[in-house]
Amino acid sequence: MAEDSQRNFRSVYYEKVGFRGVEEKKSLEILLKDDPLGILPPHHESHAQVMMCRKEQYTDVLHALKVIRFVSDSTPQVDVYLRMHQLESGKLPRSPSFPLEPEDEVFLAIAKAMEEMVEDNVDCYWLIRCFVNQLNNKFRDSLPQLPKAFEQYLNLEDSRLLNHMKMCSAVTKLPYDLWFQKCFAGCLPESSLQRVWDKVISGSCKILVFVAVEILLTFKIKVMALNNAEKITKFLENIPQDSSDAIVSKAIDLWHKHCGTPVHSM
């Protein structure tokens, strides 16, 4: 908890002096050193040994999957990460041809985004695994509440926009899985996504709500011009990428506006 607070303190300090979304060090770039996800022990002198063990474990699990013919050298890397995670969590299906579960789709989306941020396969797998575990454990009770929070804050920011979406029966059909389960993986480009995930890793999944709200505010004119739920949802699933950095910056402003200067805002 102390480490989480210090990380968020750095974020708050830099944003107070005008550097929105900037941390002293980017969380995703230093996770293996600063490690808020519990990948490494607190004693840095142990890291080399632990990383060697992690690499050996990665190699052993990968070899096991090849022996049982779940993966091969031609298997896409994100699919390899998924099968490794399934095997280690006791959820490997009886056949590779079995359809994917919704949680597998979430894992793959996060894996594809993380793969763009992290070059080393071993590091990438452990970061994906721990990030997903954080979502499934730490935020397990919070994530289902985010759609309701989204509606609440959008109403405060622009009740007319919310009423329009209600009139179109769009509120219940918004891409909540993309926003809150996949944490905008596949929606925002890497540079913007890193800034959002910095906040999630630091302990606040509520930032996801304000990113979603700001997306609606940014594209208000477009959304107001659409008059059915399917068109609204389709647009929001494929928003223009050139506005994403500004959206995240404004979302962080909204986060501070409604939550003060949160140290550990869930």
Side-chain angles (χ1 to χ4, degrees), residues 7-22:
R7 175 180 296 282
N8 273 316
F9 172 79
R10 290 199 302 268
S11 177
V12 169
Y13 171 77
Y14 273 82
E15 288 164 0
K16 270 191 172 182
V17 296
F19 295 97
R20 289 295 185 197
V22 176

Side-chain angles (χ1 to χ4, degrees), residues 83-97:
R83 297 308 187 188
M84 292 178 70
H85 180 65
Q86 288 175 329
L87 181 59
E88 290 199 289
S89 59
K91 296 181 179 179
L92 190 70
R94 286 180 289 175
S95 168
S97 62

Side-chain angles (χ1 to χ4, degrees), residues 88-123:
E88 290 199 289
S89 59
K91 296 181 179 179
L92 190 70
R94 286 180 289 175
S95 168
S97 62
F98 279 29
L100 296 177
E101 298 291 335
E103 64 185 70
D104 298 330
E105 300 286 0
V106 170
F107 185 97
L108 284 175
I110 291 171
K112 288 175 184 176
M114 192 74 79
E115 190 178 40
E116 296 181 3
M117 303 178 194
V118 184
E119 293 182 4
D120 182 80
N121 288 346
V122 178
D123 290 349

Side-chain angles (χ1 to χ4, degrees), residues 176-188:
Y176 294 126
D177 285 350
L178 175 64
W179 293 348
F180 305 144
Q181 300 297 322
K182 298 178 181 178
C183 301
F184 292 95
C187 177
L188 298 177

Side-chain angles (χ1 to χ4, degrees), residues 3 27-28 30-42 46-47 49-55 57 114 118 122-134 201:
E3 290 179 2
S27 298
L28 288 172
I30 59 156
L31 277 176
L32 296 179
K33 179 180 177 183
D34 210 17
D35 193 42
L37 295 181
I39 300 170
L40 293 171
S46 304
H47 287 190
Q49 176 66 28
V50 172
M51 284 308 301
M52 185 176 69
C53 292
R54 296 299 195 202
K55 187 172 184 179
Q57 184 174 340
M114 192 74 79
V118 184
V122 178
D123 290 349
C124 189
Y125 171 65
W126 282 101
L127 289 171
I128 297 164
R129 182 177 183 268
C130 291
F131 187 77
V132 169
N133 286 342
Q134 183 183 33
I201 289 168

